[in-house]
Each structure stands twice: as structure tokens, then as C-alpha cells.
Amino acid sequence: MAEFKRLISLDAFRGFTIAAMIMVNNPATWAHIYPPLEHASWNGLTPTDLIFPFFIFIVGVSIALAYTKRLNAGVAKGPMYKKIIFRSVKIFAVGILLWLFPNFNFEEIRIAGVLQRIAIVFFVCAFLFLNSKWKTQAIVAGALLVIYWLIMQFIPTPGYGKVMLEPGANIAAWVDSKFLPGYLWQKTWDPEGLLSTLPAIATGITGMLAGHLILSKMPAERKVIYLFSFSFFAFVIGFFWNYIFPINKSIWTSSFVMVTSGLAGMVLAISIFFVDVLGRTRFTKPGIIFGSNAIAVYVLADVWRLPFYTLKVGGSSLNNHWMNLFENAGWSMELGSFLYAALFIGFNFIPAWILYKKKIFIKL
């Protein structure tokens, strides 16, 4: 079998990634979290640090699959360009609106953000895909990572007179403080800032390269072997690059890109083998349901947070009542915080399931 009719594994991978993103963003309390569900304080990697780059990798794979299909169907590039621009603007605007919700204090508007970064990566990668071959795309990704590494490690931070990689004292933070308008997540810099978006684009391109491989004419089993092998090679590059340019999600270092893209590719390869090649789809349904409206569900989760965290019942919010229950019973506070996040995912699954059953797919 050289080609797949549709990658069920990719749909499920997208959905489970969004579910994980919602889970780590919504514990009952940030004071009690299992360590794997927290981001690394600075350098290093936790399972939580994998979620965002995994999703951007998936965006890249989806671009390759979707736009190859349209090109093969004879769709002109002009209409595709317009849709790419419109979709990017929509995602970017929704990201800003979510930050403003519910108070809409425009004096503290945040231009950067998760959805904003996704919009930029999608825009750049989609245009690059439609106007270049895979070799050019690989060269662009490599150039972005090397240039970013050179900038971060060889240009002294203004005001310090030396190269810095510490929080708020690196060249990426300086660029944010000088050129990124609006509210910054860390006051003087932003983890979704301007300069660190360049290697994030490279993450999207690695997904596109995986998509090219998946679309190739070789047998399915060989695709899986090559995808896993190249992904492992990328992981090894990132592992050793870490010794001179530490793995760091907050500034999206080049080693972070290689390690996370490598892991994402290996997870996708394993998923394709078991789900699409062997046909073991039993546990994929929840992921497919979440993934069919991935960004819409992510947006809905942010809206759902209002009653879950601010609605007062008996003088206290629902999450505080929940944690008081665990504290009074002498149960694990970390477990209580985790179960609340799991419950929150369950509530978000309901509208996702309704949309899926009614075959309503919201394309943000």
C-alpha cells in the first residue's frame, strides 16, 4: 500500500494534542501540579513542553497533505492564497479576542500568543509550500535554525554588553521589549515573541517535510521506517545541539525544534504503523472527535474557563470548592488538581462530540 486514503492517526494525534493543551492549561490550582504537567522553569524539557511544538508540527503535516490534494485537483493558487490569508487573519484575531475576553481592556492588549503564533506559522509555511519543493523547504528550515542560533549566541544583548541566554536578558527578549507592541506575557518579554517565531516556523516546516514523505510513492511500511529514522536523526541532532544551545521552549531554541520535531515525527510514525497500516483504530475516536474541530475546541475551552474558575457558588469558585473537598478529605492535592483538569476536558468533549456527530467542522 503506497498511499493512505486518510491518515486517521494524524487526526487522532491532532485531537489528543489539543486535549493535552487544554489539560495543562486548566488545573484546579497552579499551586498543586504534578511536575510532568508543568513547563520547565527555563532550560530543559517536560512532557508539557512538547504539546505546542507537536501541534505546530501537525499544522505543517496538514499543510502538505491538504494543499497537495488541492494542487492535484487542479485548484488555482490564487484562490488558495486568499483563503490562506483569510484563515491566518481569523486565527490571529481570535487569539487577540481570547486575551481580551471577558473585560476587553484594550489598554493591555496582547499581540503575541499561542493562536497568533499558529497563524503566523501557518501563513508562512502554506505560502512556502505552494511555491517551493521539499529541498528548498528543508534549506529554509535549516537556515532559520542556524541563523537564530547565531543571533542568540553571538550577538550581545544591548545594555549588558555580552551574550546572554537568561530569562529577560537575551537578544530575543530585547527585541520584544523594543519592537513588540502591547502587553508582554513576562512583562519585558514574551514566550511567543517576535524573534523566537522564526524557529517556530522551522518547526512547521519539519512537519511539512514529514508530509512530503507520507505523500511519496513508496510502500506504507517503508514510509513509516523512513519517517521514524529521519525523526530519530533530528532528535539526535537536537540532543547534541543542546550542549551549546540549550533546549528551551520559552525562547524556542534550535535544539528545542530538533528534539521536539524528532519526537513528534517518531510518535506520528508509530501511530501511522499501528492505526493506518495495522488498522488498530479502537482508541482513536476521542482524538478524532477533538481533532475534527481542534482550534475551535481550544477557543471554546478558553471561554468555558469563565464559569469553571470565576463563577461564585456559596462565596467561592468551583475550583476552590473542589480543592477544599480534597484538602478536607486528606487526599492528594495534586490528584485533585489533575482530576479537575480531566473533568474540564470532559465538558469540552461534549460540544466537540455534538459538532462531530452533526458533521459540523469549524475551520478557523
Side-chain angles (χ1 to χ4, degrees):
M1 180 173 63
E3 296 183 4
F4 303 106
K5 292 182 179 179
R6 182 176 180 86
L7 279 182
I8 298 174
S9 56
L10 182 65
D11 294 334
F13 190 10
R14 182 189 300 109
F16 286 127
T17 301
I18 280 292
M21 193 178 294
I22 294 171
M23 179 181 69
V24 300
N25 285 342
N26 297 279
T29 172
W30 292 102
H32 299 282
I33 308 173
Y34 288 121
L37 301 181
E38 292 187 87
H39 289 292
S41 57
W42 188 241
N43 294 332
L45 196 68
T46 72
T48 298
D49 293 321
L50 299 176
I51 297 170
F52 194 14
F54 273 26
F55 189 81
I56 291 183
F57 178 90
I58 292 167
V59 168
V61 178
S62 300
I63 287 171
L65 301 186
Y67 287 104
T68 296
K69 182 179 180 180
R70 293 171 193 176
L71 289 171
N72 291 341
V75 179
K77 288 185 180 180
M80 284 194 280
Y81 291 153
K82 292 179 182 178
K83 289 184 178 180
I84 290 168
I85 294 170
F86 183 56
R87 189 178 186 190
S88 301
V89 171
K90 281 195 301 182
I91 296 172
F92 197 96
V94 170
I96 292 177
L97 288 174
L98 281 180
W99 171 259
L100 293 172
F101 181 83
N103 298 319
F104 291 92
N105 180 6
F106 286 89
E107 292 182 0
E108 292 192 354
I109 188 171
R110 184 183 177 213
I111 303 300
V114 170
L115 288 182
Q116 295 91 312
R117 173 162 284 183
I118 291 172
I120 294 170
V121 170
F122 169 73
F123 176 84
V124 174
C125 287
F127 268 86
L128 179 64
F129 181 83
L130 291 176
N131 293 282
S132 64
K133 302 298 183 181
W134 74 266
K135 289 183 180 179
T136 301
Q137 294 160 23
I139 291 170
V140 171
L144 285 173
L145 295 180
V146 171
I147 290 170
Y148 184 65
W149 166 57
L150 294 174
I151 290 172
M152 294 295 291
Q153 292 227 280
F154 293 97
I155 297 180
T157 305
Y160 291 91
K162 60 180 179 179
V163 174
M164 304 279 285
L165 287 180
E166 284 70 24
N170 53 74
I171 191 67
W174 181 84
V175 170
D176 289 346
S177 66
K178 291 295 182 181
F179 303 107
L180 183 58
Y183 180 89
L184 303 181
W185 184 254
Q186 296 294 338
K187 308 303 181 183
T188 59
W189 63 279
D190 201 293
E192 280 78 51
L194 294 172
L195 201 57
S196 61
T197 297
L198 295 178
I201 292 170
T203 298
I205 296 174
T206 62
M208 282 165 36
L209 296 175
H212 281 292
L213 182 56
I214 292 167
L215 290 165
S216 66
K217 300 300 183 182
M218 67 180 72
E221 291 81 1
R222 185 168 294 183
K223 292 181 184 182
V224 170
I225 293 171
Y226 274 119
L227 178 56
F228 188 92
S229 300
F230 288 136
S231 298
F232 179 74
F233 183 57
F235 175 85
V236 171
I237 291 174
F239 177 83
F240 284 105
W241 206 344
N242 169 63
Y243 286 101
I244 57 174
F245 194 22
I247 294 170
N248 188 302
K249 176 192 176 293
S250 294
I251 50 176
W252 213 278
T253 56
S254 303
S255 57
F256 175 76
V257 171
M258 297 304 291
V259 164
T260 56
S261 291
L263 288 171
M266 286 188 278
V267 170
L268 180 59
I270 294 169
S271 301
I272 290 173
F273 179 71
F274 282 101
V275 175
D276 299 291
V277 176
L278 299 183
R280 298 178 182 175
T281 61
R282 182 178 178 183
F283 300 105
T284 61
K285 199 67 174 181
I288 293 171
I289 291 172
F290 268 125
S292 61
N293 284 288
I295 295 181
V297 170
Y298 177 83
V299 172
L300 180 63
D302 254 28
V303 176
W304 264 114
R305 295 185 85 255
L306 197 61
F308 268 76
Y309 291 89
T310 62
L311 180 66
K312 300 293 183 180
V313 178
S316 188
S317 61
L318 294 177
N319 61 309
N320 285 334
H321 281 300
W322 179 271
M323 292 309 298
N324 288 338
L325 172 66
F326 275 76
E327 185 176 16
N328 294 335
W331 299 334
S332 167
M333 299 290 279
E334 285 76 14
L335 176 62
S337 188
F338 170 77
L339 291 178
Y340 193 82
L343 181 65
F344 187 71
I345 293 174
F347 271 87
N348 282 279
F349 182 80
I350 295 170
W353 179 78
I354 293 172
L355 290 172
Y356 180 81
K357 293 294 289 184
K358 292 183 176 294
K359 296 182 179 180
I360 299 172
F361 306 109
I362 304 172
K363 297 295 182 182
L364 281 178

mmCIF file with all atom_site columns, all heavy atoms in Angstrom, residues 294-310:
data_model
loop_
_atom_site.group_PDB
_atom_site.id
_atom_site.type_symbol
_atom_site.label_atom_id
_atom_site.label_alt_id
_atom_site.label_comp_id
_atom_site.label_asym_id
_atom_site.label_entity_id
_atom_site.label_seq_id
_atom_site.pdbx_PDB_ins_code
_atom_site.Cartn_x
_atom_site.Cartn_y
_atom_site.Cartn_z
_atom_site.occupancy
_atom_site.B_iso_or_equiv
_atom_site.pdbx_formal_charge
_atom_site.auth_seq_id
_atom_site.auth_comp_id
_atom_site.auth_asym_id
_atom_site.auth_atom_id
_atom_site.pdbx_PDB_model_num
ATOM 1   N N   . ALA A 1 294 ? -10.276 21.176 16.077 1.00 0.00 ? 294 ALA A N   1
ATOM 2   C CA  . ALA A 1 294 ? -9.204  21.367 17.064 1.00 0.00 ? 294 ALA A CA  1
ATOM 3   C C   . ALA A 1 294 ? -9.121  22.792 17.596 1.00 0.00 ? 294 ALA A C   1
ATOM 4   O O   . ALA A 1 294 ? -9.205  23.024 18.811 1.00 0.00 ? 294 ALA A O   1
ATOM 5   C CB  . ALA A 1 294 ? -7.868  20.943 16.467 1.00 0.00 ? 294 ALA A CB  1
ATOM 6   N N   . ILE A 1 295 ? -8.945  23.766 16.710 1.00 0.00 ? 295 ILE A N   1
ATOM 7   C CA  . ILE A 1 295 ? -8.772  25.143 17.171 1.00 0.00 ? 295 ILE A CA  1
ATOM 8   C C   . ILE A 1 295 ? -10.070 25.685 17.763 1.00 0.00 ? 295 ILE A C   1
ATOM 9   O O   . ILE A 1 295 ? -10.052 26.428 18.746 1.00 0.00 ? 295 ILE A O   1
ATOM 10  C CB  . ILE A 1 295 ? -8.254  26.040 16.027 1.00 0.00 ? 295 ILE A CB  1
ATOM 11  C CG1 . ILE A 1 295 ? -6.858  25.585 15.614 1.00 0.00 ? 295 ILE A CG1 1
ATOM 12  C CG2 . ILE A 1 295 ? -8.226  27.503 16.451 1.00 0.00 ? 295 ILE A CG2 1
ATOM 13  C CD1 . ILE A 1 295 ? -6.228  26.407 14.511 1.00 0.00 ? 295 ILE A CD1 1
ATOM 14  N N   . ALA A 1 296 ? -11.203 25.290 17.191 1.00 0.00 ? 296 ALA A N   1
ATOM 15  C CA  . ALA A 1 296 ? -12.500 25.724 17.732 1.00 0.00 ? 296 ALA A CA  1
ATOM 16  C C   . ALA A 1 296 ? -12.676 25.228 19.165 1.00 0.00 ? 296 ALA A C   1
ATOM 17  O O   . ALA A 1 296 ? -13.174 25.960 20.037 1.00 0.00 ? 296 ALA A O   1
ATOM 18  C CB  . ALA A 1 296 ? -13.633 25.219 16.844 1.00 0.00 ? 296 ALA A CB  1
ATOM 19  N N   . VAL A 1 297 ? -12.272 23.983 19.427 1.00 0.00 ? 297 VAL A N   1
ATOM 20  C CA  . VAL A 1 297 ? -12.365 23.427 20.778 1.00 0.00 ? 297 VAL A CA  1
ATOM 21  C C   . VAL A 1 297 ? -11.422 24.165 21.725 1.00 0.00 ? 297 VAL A C   1
ATOM 22  O O   . VAL A 1 297 ? -11.767 24.443 22.878 1.00 0.00 ? 297 VAL A O   1
ATOM 23  C CB  . VAL A 1 297 ? -12.056 21.916 20.757 1.00 0.00 ? 297 VAL A CB  1
ATOM 24  C CG1 . VAL A 1 297 ? -11.910 21.370 22.178 1.00 0.00 ? 297 VAL A CG1 1
ATOM 25  C CG2 . VAL A 1 297 ? -13.145 21.163 20.018 1.00 0.00 ? 297 VAL A CG2 1
ATOM 26  N N   . TYR A 1 298 ? -10.235 24.490 21.238 1.00 0.00 ? 298 TYR A N   1
ATOM 27  C CA  . TYR A 1 298 ? -9.273  25.249 22.047 1.00 0.00 ? 298 TYR A CA  1
ATOM 28  C C   . TYR A 1 298 ? -9.858  26.606 22.437 1.00 0.00 ? 298 TYR A C   1
ATOM 29  O O   . TYR A 1 298 ? -9.728  27.048 23.594 1.00 0.00 ? 298 TYR A O   1
ATOM 30  C CB  . TYR A 1 298 ? -7.975  25.436 21.265 1.00 0.00 ? 298 TYR A CB  1
ATOM 31  C CG  . TYR A 1 298 ? -6.932  26.259 21.979 1.00 0.00 ? 298 TYR A CG  1
ATOM 32  C CD1 . TYR A 1 298 ? -6.092  25.680 22.925 1.00 0.00 ? 298 TYR A CD1 1
ATOM 33  C CD2 . TYR A 1 298 ? -6.796  27.622 21.728 1.00 0.00 ? 298 TYR A CD2 1
ATOM 34  C CE1 . TYR A 1 298 ? -5.130  26.433 23.581 1.00 0.00 ? 298 TYR A CE1 1
ATOM 35  C CE2 . TYR A 1 298 ? -5.845  28.384 22.378 1.00 0.00 ? 298 TYR A CE2 1
ATOM 36  C CZ  . TYR A 1 298 ? -5.016  27.791 23.305 1.00 0.00 ? 298 TYR A CZ  1
ATOM 37  O OH  . TYR A 1 298 ? -4.078  28.544 23.964 1.00 0.00 ? 298 TYR A OH  1
ATOM 38  N N   . VAL A 1 299 ? -10.501 27.265 21.486 1.00 0.00 ? 299 VAL A N   1
ATOM 39  C CA  . VAL A 1 299 ? -11.134 28.565 21.754 1.00 0.00 ? 299 VAL A CA  1
ATOM 40  C C   . VAL A 1 299 ? -12.279 28.397 22.743 1.00 0.00 ? 299 VAL A C   1
ATOM 41  O O   . VAL A 1 299 ? -12.419 29.164 23.699 1.00 0.00 ? 299 VAL A O   1
ATOM 42  C CB  . VAL A 1 299 ? -11.647 29.197 20.444 1.00 0.00 ? 299 VAL A CB  1
ATOM 43  C CG1 . VAL A 1 299 ? -12.485 30.445 20.729 1.00 0.00 ? 299 VAL A CG1 1
ATOM 44  C CG2 . VAL A 1 299 ? -10.476 29.546 19.526 1.00 0.00 ? 299 VAL A CG2 1
ATOM 45  N N   . LEU A 1 300 ? -13.102 27.367 22.532 1.00 0.00 ? 300 LEU A N   1
ATOM 46  C CA  . LEU A 1 300 ? -14.226 27.109 23.431 1.00 0.00 ? 300 LEU A CA  1
ATOM 47  C C   . LEU A 1 300 ? -13.747 26.857 24.855 1.00 0.00 ? 300 LEU A C   1
ATOM 48  O O   . LEU A 1 300 ? -14.367 27.317 25.824 1.00 0.00 ? 300 LEU A O   1
ATOM 49  C CB  . LEU A 1 300 ? -15.023 25.909 22.925 1.00 0.00 ? 300 LEU A CB  1
ATOM 50  C CG  . LEU A 1 300 ? -16.239 25.501 23.761 1.00 0.00 ? 300 LEU A CG  1
ATOM 51  C CD1 . LEU A 1 300 ? -17.275 26.618 23.774 1.00 0.00 ? 300 LEU A CD1 1
ATOM 52  C CD2 . LEU A 1 300 ? -16.857 24.214 23.224 1.00 0.00 ? 300 LEU A CD2 1
ATOM 53  N N   . ALA A 1 301 ? -12.625 26.164 24.995 1.00 0.00 ? 301 ALA A N   1
ATOM 54  C CA  . ALA A 1 301 ? -12.080 25.877 26.322 1.00 0.00 ? 301 ALA A CA  1
ATOM 55  C C   . ALA A 1 301 ? -11.738 27.163 27.062 1.00 0.00 ? 301 ALA A C   1
ATOM 56  O O   . ALA A 1 301 ? -11.955 27.271 28.277 1.00 0.00 ? 301 ALA A O   1
ATOM 57  C CB  . ALA A 1 301 ? -10.843 24.985 26.206 1.00 0.00 ? 301 ALA A CB  1
ATOM 58  N N   . ASP A 1 302 ? -11.204 28.140 26.335 1.00 0.00 ? 302 ASP A N   1
ATOM 59  C CA  . ASP A 1 302 ? -10.896 29.422 26.963 1.00 0.00 ? 302 ASP A CA  1
ATOM 60  C C   . ASP A 1 302 ? -12.162 30.144 27.420 1.00 0.00 ? 302 ASP A C   1
ATOM 61  O O   . ASP A 1 302 ? -12.165 30.817 28.458 1.00 0.00 ? 302 ASP A O   1
ATOM 62  C CB  . ASP A 1 302 ? -10.121 30.309 25.977 1.00 0.00 ? 302 ASP A CB  1
ATOM 63  C CG  . ASP A 1 302 ? -8.648  30.413 26.349 1.00 0.00 ? 302 ASP A CG  1
ATOM 64  O OD1 . ASP A 1 302 ? -8.153  29.461 26.972 1.00 0.00 ? 302 ASP A OD1 1
ATOM 65  O OD2 . ASP A 1 302 ? -8.012  31.428 26.023 1.00 0.00 ? 302 ASP A OD2 1
ATOM 66  N N   . VAL A 1 303 ? -13.226 29.988 26.661 1.00 0.00 ? 303 VAL A N   1
ATOM 67  C CA  . VAL A 1 303 ? -14.499 30.611 27.043 1.00 0.00 ? 303 VAL A CA  1
ATOM 68  C C   . VAL A 1 303 ? -15.101 29.879 28.242 1.00 0.00 ? 303 VAL A C   1
ATOM 69  O O   . VAL A 1 303 ? -15.626 30.506 29.169 1.00 0.00 ? 303 VAL A O   1
ATOM 70  C CB  . VAL A 1 303 ? -15.482 30.599 25.852 1.00 0.00 ? 303 VAL A CB  1
ATOM 71  C CG1 . VAL A 1 303 ? -16.841 31.145 26.273 1.00 0.00 ? 303 VAL A CG1 1
ATOM 72  C CG2 . VAL A 1 303 ? -14.915 31.417 24.689 1.00 0.00 ? 303 VAL A CG2 1
ATOM 73  N N   . TRP A 1 304 ? -15.004 28.533 28.229 1.00 0.00 ? 304 TRP A N   1
ATOM 74  C CA  . TRP A 1 304 ? -15.538 27.711 29.317 1.00 0.00 ? 304 TRP A CA  1
ATOM 75  C C   . TRP A 1 304 ? -14.870 28.027 30.654 1.00 0.00 ? 304 TRP A C   1
ATOM 76  O O   . TRP A 1 304 ? -15.446 27.797 31.718 1.00 0.00 ? 304 TRP A O   1
ATOM 77  C CB  . TRP A 1 304 ? -15.281 26.223 29.026 1.00 0.00 ? 304 TRP A CB  1
ATOM 78  C CG  . TRP A 1 304 ? -16.404 25.472 28.388 1.00 0.00 ? 304 TRP A CG  1
ATOM 79  C CD1 . TRP A 1 304 ? -16.419 24.928 27.139 1.00 0.00 ? 304 TRP A CD1 1
ATOM 80  C CD2 . TRP A 1 304 ? -17.667 25.131 28.962 1.00 0.00 ? 304 TRP A CD2 1
ATOM 81  N NE1 . TRP A 1 304 ? -17.602 24.293 26.894 1.00 0.00 ? 304 TRP A NE1 1
ATOM 82  C CE2 . TRP A 1 304 ? -18.397 24.395 28.007 1.00 0.00 ? 304 TRP A CE2 1
ATOM 83  C CE3 . TRP A 1 304 ? -18.269 25.384 30.191 1.00 0.00 ? 304 TRP A CE3 1
ATOM 84  C CZ2 . TRP A 1 304 ? -19.676 23.910 28.231 1.00 0.00 ? 304 TRP A CZ2 1
ATOM 85  C CZ3 . TRP A 1 304 ? -19.545 24.901 30.422 1.00 0.00 ? 304 TRP A CZ3 1
ATOM 86  C CH2 . TRP A 1 304 ? -20.235 24.179 29.449 1.00 0.00 ? 304 TRP A CH2 1
ATOM 87  N N   . ARG A 1 305 ? -13.646 28.539 30.603 1.00 0.00 ? 305 ARG A N   1
ATOM 88  C CA  . ARG A 1 305 ? -12.904 28.793 31.842 1.00 0.00 ? 305 ARG A CA  1
ATOM 89  C C   . ARG A 1 305 ? -13.639 29.765 32.758 1.00 0.00 ? 305 ARG A C   1
ATOM 90  O O   . ARG A 1 305 ? -13.471 29.721 33.980 1.00 0.00 ? 305 ARG A O   1
ATOM 91  C CB  . ARG A 1 305 ? -11.521 29.360 31.522 1.00 0.00 ? 305 ARG A CB  1
ATOM 92  C CG  . ARG A 1 305 ? -10.619 28.420 30.778 1.00 0.00 ? 305 ARG A CG  1
ATOM 93  C CD  . ARG A 1 305 ? -9.213  28.979 30.588 1.00 0.00 ? 305 ARG A CD  1
ATOM 94  N NE  . ARG A 1 305 ? -8.374  28.724 31.746 1.00 0.00 ? 305 ARG A NE  1
ATOM 95  C CZ  . ARG A 1 305 ? -8.026  29.628 32.637 1.00 0.00 ? 305 ARG A CZ  1
ATOM 96  N NH1 . ARG A 1 305 ? -8.452  30.879 32.511 1.00 0.00 ? 305 ARG A NH1 1
ATOM 97  N NH2 . ARG A 1 305 ? -7.259  29.315 33.658 1.00 0.00 ? 305 ARG A NH2 1
ATOM 98  N N   . LEU A 1 306 ? -14.431 30.647 32.181 1.00 0.00 ? 306 LEU A N   1
ATOM 99  C CA  . LEU A 1 306 ? -15.107 31.676 32.976 1.00 0.00 ? 306 LEU A CA  1
ATOM 100 C C   . LEU A 1 306 ? -15.979 31.068 34.077 1.00 0.00 ? 306 LEU A C   1
ATOM 101 O O   . LEU A 1 306 ? -15.775 31.376 35.256 1.00 0.00 ? 306 LEU A O   1
ATOM 102 C CB  . LEU A 1 306 ? -15.929 32.592 32.060 1.00 0.00 ? 306 LEU A CB  1
ATOM 103 C CG  . LEU A 1 306 ? -16.361 33.934 32.646 1.00 0.00 ? 306 LEU A CG  1
ATOM 104 C CD1 . LEU A 1 306 ? -15.161 34.775 33.038 1.00 0.00 ? 306 LEU A CD1 1
ATOM 105 C CD2 . LEU A 1 306 ? -17.230 34.696 31.645 1.00 0.00 ? 306 LEU A CD2 1
ATOM 106 N N   . PRO A 1 307 ? -16.944 30.191 33.761 1.00 0.00 ? 307 PRO A N   1
ATOM 107 C CA  . PRO A 1 307 ? -17.727 29.600 34.854 1.00 0.00 ? 307 PRO A CA  1
ATOM 108 C C   . PRO A 1 307 ? -16.929 28.635 35.725 1.00 0.00 ? 307 PRO A C   1
ATOM 109 O O   . PRO A 1 307 ? -17.193 28.508 36.925 1.00 0.00 ? 307 PRO A O   1
ATOM 110 C CB  . PRO A 1 307 ? -18.860 28.868 34.124 1.00 0.00 ? 307 PRO A CB  1
ATOM 111 C CG  . PRO A 1 307 ? -18.345 28.610 32.756 1.00 0.00 ? 307 PRO A CG  1
ATOM 112 C CD  . PRO A 1 307 ? -17.455 29.769 32.444 1.00 0.00 ? 307 PRO A CD  1
ATOM 113 N N   . PHE A 1 308 ? -15.947 27.971 35.164 1.00 0.00 ? 308 PHE A N   1
ATOM 114 C CA  . PHE A 1 308 ? -15.184 26.984 35.918 1.00 0.00 ? 308 PHE A CA  1
ATOM 115 C C   . PHE A 1 308 ? -14.248 27.608 36.946 1.00 0.00 ? 308 PHE A C   1
ATOM 116 O O   . PHE A 1 308 ? -13.896 26.981 37.938 1.00 0.00 ? 308 PHE A O   1
ATOM 117 C CB  . PHE A 1 308 ? -14.380 26.096 34.967 1.00 0.00 ? 308 PHE A CB  1
ATOM 118 C CG  . PHE A 1 308 ? -15.095 24.845 34.546 1.00 0.00 ? 308 PHE A CG  1
ATOM 119 C CD1 . PHE A 1 308 ? -16.104 24.895 33.598 1.00 0.00 ? 308 PHE A CD1 1
ATOM 120 C CD2 . PHE A 1 308 ? -14.775 23.625 35.106 1.00 0.00 ? 308 PHE A CD2 1
ATOM 121 C CE1 . PHE A 1 308 ? -16.771 23.748 33.206 1.00 0.00 ? 308 PHE A CE1 1
ATOM 122 C CE2 . PHE A 1 308 ? -15.440 22.467 34.727 1.00 0.00 ? 308 PHE A CE2 1
ATOM 123 C CZ  . PHE A 1 308 ? -16.443 22.530 33.774 1.00 0.00 ? 308 PHE A CZ  1
ATOM 124 N N   . TYR A 1 309 ? -13.830 28.852 36.692 1.00 0.00 ? 309 TYR A N   1
ATOM 125 C CA  . TYR A 1 309 ? -12.822 29.452 37.572 1.00 0.00 ? 309 TYR A CA  1
ATOM 126 C C   . TYR A 1 309 ? -13.240 30.775 38.210 1.00 0.00 ? 309 TYR A C   1
ATOM 127 O O   . TYR A 1 309 ? -12.581 31.232 39.143 1.00 0.00 ? 309 TYR A O   1
ATOM 128 C CB  . TYR A 1 309 ? -11.512 29.658 36.797 1.00 0.00 ? 309 TYR A CB  1
ATOM 129 C CG  . TYR A 1 309 ? -10.831 28.365 36.444 1.00 0.00 ? 309 TYR A CG  1
ATOM 130 C CD1 . TYR A 1 309 ? -11.134 27.705 35.255 1.00 0.00 ? 309 TYR A CD1 1
ATOM 131 C CD2 . TYR A 1 309 ? -9.900  27.784 37.293 1.00 0.00 ? 309 TYR A CD2 1
ATOM 132 C CE1 . TYR A 1 309 ? -10.522 26.501 34.923 1.00 0.00 ? 309 TYR A CE1 1
ATOM 133 C CE2 . TYR A 1 309 ? -9.282  26.583 36.976 1.00 0.00 ? 309 TYR A CE2 1
ATOM 134 C CZ  . TYR A 1 309 ? -9.604  25.943 35.789 1.00 0.00 ? 309 TYR A CZ  1
ATOM 135 O OH  . TYR A 1 309 ? -9.007  24.754 35.470 1.00 0.00 ? 309 TYR A OH  1
ATOM 136 N N   . THR A 1 310 ? -14.299 31.394 37.728 1.00 0.00 ? 310 THR A N   1
ATOM 137 C CA  . THR A 1 310 ? -14.679 32.696 38.292 1.00 0.00 ? 310 THR A CA  1
ATOM 138 C C   . THR A 1 310 ? -16.098 32.729 38.839 1.00 0.00 ? 310 THR A C   1
ATOM 139 O O   . THR A 1 310 ? -16.430 33.634 39.607 1.00 0.00 ? 310 THR A O   1
ATOM 140 C CB  . THR A 1 310 ? -14.532 33.809 37.230 1.00 0.00 ? 310 THR A CB  1
ATOM 141 O OG1 . THR A 1 310 ? -15.420 33.555 36.132 1.00 0.00 ? 310 THR A OG1 1
ATOM 142 C CG2 . THR A 1 310 ? -13.105 33.878 36.709 1.00 0.00 ? 310 THR A CG2 1
#
